């Protein structure tokens, strides 16, 4: 199992996703002799998981069932243990596109946090690219290294525990892109410029407050970055529901029949669909937005090294 290479069967030591439903899933580390409790009963790793194919339907001890899914960065974002506030797929998707990332790209990131974006970046630049990620907090940096080893992507990422605003990323003139998610990104713009390749490298800064964006843009201009622009991505989810609506009264059927020469008393026309429709309801599918939606997450500021 690897987050960047698909494995067909579940093996001892794998990280798998137990899928109970779209709103209920969690990660589990597969180990011989271990059991996992769910609301549908017990899952025994030795007999129910190891050796089975990913995507299998597993019956629990109480008779209920779950699916066992192969981990992906998208599923990990929804299930990872939160050490910090994380980025979700809405922002991650635009970041990877606007930074023009592809297999073989070199990316610098700060800070690592819970590793949500890190896993997506690693999957994007694999198999020949590399991620250099910097985390100020020592325990979070150590936990990130441990997760990358468990997910078998450690050869694609280097985790450094230091202050990026003072010490930079530890590399110079090699990065195709830099991503900043720190409280004062304007203090790291100089180090980001040093890490980027000689010309054309892209930078992105994520900030929740517009005051941070303003100071970051000024710093980008000072260091000669061009094409500076800020985006805010808002996601609106729709539920598909079946709705029943009463058909409007468009006038008496008798009046319509007399104007068209239609004889409602004729046996051949009694029980006509037109008469039934005048008094009934109709059902159809409709898209309805959620009553509560996630609004602002943060501002994404992009720029290019001139």
């Amino acid at each position: 199992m690897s987050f960047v290479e698909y494995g067909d069967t579940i093996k001892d030591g794998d990280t798998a996703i137990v899928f109970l439903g779209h709103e209920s899933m969690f990660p589990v580390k597969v180990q011989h002799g271990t059991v996992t409790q769910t609301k549908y009963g017990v899952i025994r790793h030795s007999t129910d998981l190891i050796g089975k194919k990913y995507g299998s339907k597993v019956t629990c001890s109480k008779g209920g069932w779950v699916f066992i899914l192969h981990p992906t960065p998208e599923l990990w974002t929804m299930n990872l243990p939160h050490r910090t506030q994380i980025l979700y797929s809405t922002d991650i998707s635009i970041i990877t596109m606007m930074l023009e990332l592809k297999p073989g790209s070199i990316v610098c990131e700060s800070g690592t946090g819970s590793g949500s974006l890190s896993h997506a970046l690693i999957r994007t630049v694999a198999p020949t690219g590399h991620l250099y990620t910097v985390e100020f907090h020592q325990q979070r940096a150590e936990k990130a290294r441990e997760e990358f080893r468990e997910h078998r992507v450690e050869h694609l990422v280097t985790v450094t525990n230091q202050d990026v605003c003072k010490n930079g990323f530890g590399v110079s003139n090699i990065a195709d892109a830099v991503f900043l998610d720190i409280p004062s990104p304007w203090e790291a713009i100089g180090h980001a410029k040093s890490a980027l390749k000689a010309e054309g490298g892209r930078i992105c800064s994520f900030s929740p407050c517009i005051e941070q964006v303003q100071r970051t843009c000024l710093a980008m201009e000072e260091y000669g970055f061009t094409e500076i622009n800020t985006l805010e991505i808002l996601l609106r989810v729709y539920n598909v529901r079946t709705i029943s609506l009463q058909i409007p009264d468009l006038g008496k059927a008798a009046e319509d029949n007399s104007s068209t020469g239609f004889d409602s008393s004729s046996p051949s026309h009694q029980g006509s669909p037109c008469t039934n429709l005048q008094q009934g309801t109709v059902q159809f599918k409709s898209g309805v937005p959620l009553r509560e939606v996630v609004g602002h997450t943060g501002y994404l500021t992009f720029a290019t090294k001139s």
Side-chain angles (χ1 to χ4, degrees):
M1 183 282 304
S2 170
F3 272 58
V4 297
E5 296 176 358
Y6 183 78
D8 190 48
T9 58
I10 304 170
K11 299 177 182 178
D12 186 24
D14 281 3
T15 298
I17 305 298
V18 179
F19 180 89
L20 293 83
H22 289 288
E23 302 298 328
S24 179
M25 63 185 87
F26 59 89
V28 62
K29 185 173 182 179
V30 179
Q31 293 177 310
H32 270 294
T34 303
V35 297
T36 297
Q37 296 282 351
T38 75
K39 63 181 180 181
Y40 300 124
V42 173
I43 301 174
R44 295 175 175 82
H45 293 201
S46 299
T47 57
D48 297 334
L49 299 184
I50 297 176
K52 300 290 182 65
K53 290 183 178 294
Y54 278 106
S56 297
K57 183 178 179 180
V58 174
T59 302
C60 304
S61 61
K62 293 182 180 179
W65 49 266
V66 298
F67 288 106
I68 308 299
L69 305 181
H70 192 284
T72 65
E74 291 79 11
L75 289 174
W76 186 244
T77 291
M78 298 171 62
N79 295 281
L80 58 78
H82 285 231
R83 299 183 288 274
T84 59
Q85 178 63 35
I86 69 169
L87 291 178
Y88 290 92
S89 298
T90 307
D91 290 314
I92 292 173
S93 59
I94 196 70
I95 290 170
T96 55
M97 184 190 76
M98 295 294 288
L99 289 181
E100 302 174 3
L101 301 182
K102 59 185 182 299
S105 295
I106 306 298
V107 187
C108 293
E109 175 197 25
S110 184
T112 312
S114 301
S116 174
L117 176 64
S118 302
H119 282 80
L121 294 177
I122 292 170
R123 196 262 308 274
T124 302
V125 304
T128 57
H130 201 84
L131 171 66
Y132 294 90
T133 182
V134 178
E135 173 56 52
F136 175 78
H137 194 272
Q138 182 179 357
Q139 285 73 25
R140 287 201 293 263
E142 293 174 353
K143 186 60 179 178
R145 290 193 191 98
E146 179 184 340
E147 285 181 349
F148 293 142
R149 284 194 300 268
E150 290 180 356
H151 301 163
R152 299 171 192 171
V153 294
E154 70 276 9
H155 61 291
L156 296 170
V157 56
T158 299
V159 182
T160 305
N161 172 221
Q162 63 186 30
D163 185 351
V164 70
C165 296
K166 294 180 180 179
N167 306 114
F169 295 93
V171 295
S172 299
N173 302 319
I174 65 170
D176 297 288
V178 169
F179 176 79
L180 299 174
D181 182 8
I182 54 178
S184 53
W186 55 90
E187 296 181 1
I189 299 299
H191 293 297
K193 183 177 181 180
S194 299
L196 287 168
K197 60 186 181 181
E199 187 177 357
R202 295 278 287 166
I203 184 174
C204 174
S205 174
F206 177 91
S207 298
C209 301
I210 195 64
E211 290 81 7
Q212 294 171 305
V213 175
Q214 292 171 336
R215 295 190 64 176
T216 302
C217 289
L218 291 174
M220 287 179 175
E221 288 184 343
E222 180 181 348
Y223 280 96
F225 284 89
T226 60
E227 299 179 327
I228 302 172
N229 64 88
T230 299
L231 309 175
E232 181 184 27
I233 311 301
L234 302 178
L235 179 66
R236 192 178 188 190
V237 179
Y238 278 77
N239 281 339
V240 178
R241 300 178 182 175
T242 301
I243 299 178
S244 297
L245 291 179
Q246 186 174 4
I247 297 176
D249 184 4
L250 302 178
K252 293 183 179 180
E255 295 177 356
D256 295 340
N257 295 341
S258 62
S259 63
T260 60
F262 178 78
D263 184 4
S264 62
S265 63
S266 172
S268 61
H269 293 114
Q270 288 181 355
S272 170
C274 293
T275 304
N276 293 336
L277 286 175
Q278 290 289 340
Q279 302 170 352
T281 60
V282 62
Q283 291 185 338
F284 60 92
K285 299 291 185 181
S286 176
V288 181
L290 300 179
R291 293 185 177 181
E292 296 182 1
V293 297
V294 177
H296 172 75
T297 57
Y299 300 103
L300 292 168
T301 301
F302 297 92
T304 303
K305 182 177 179 180
S306 176

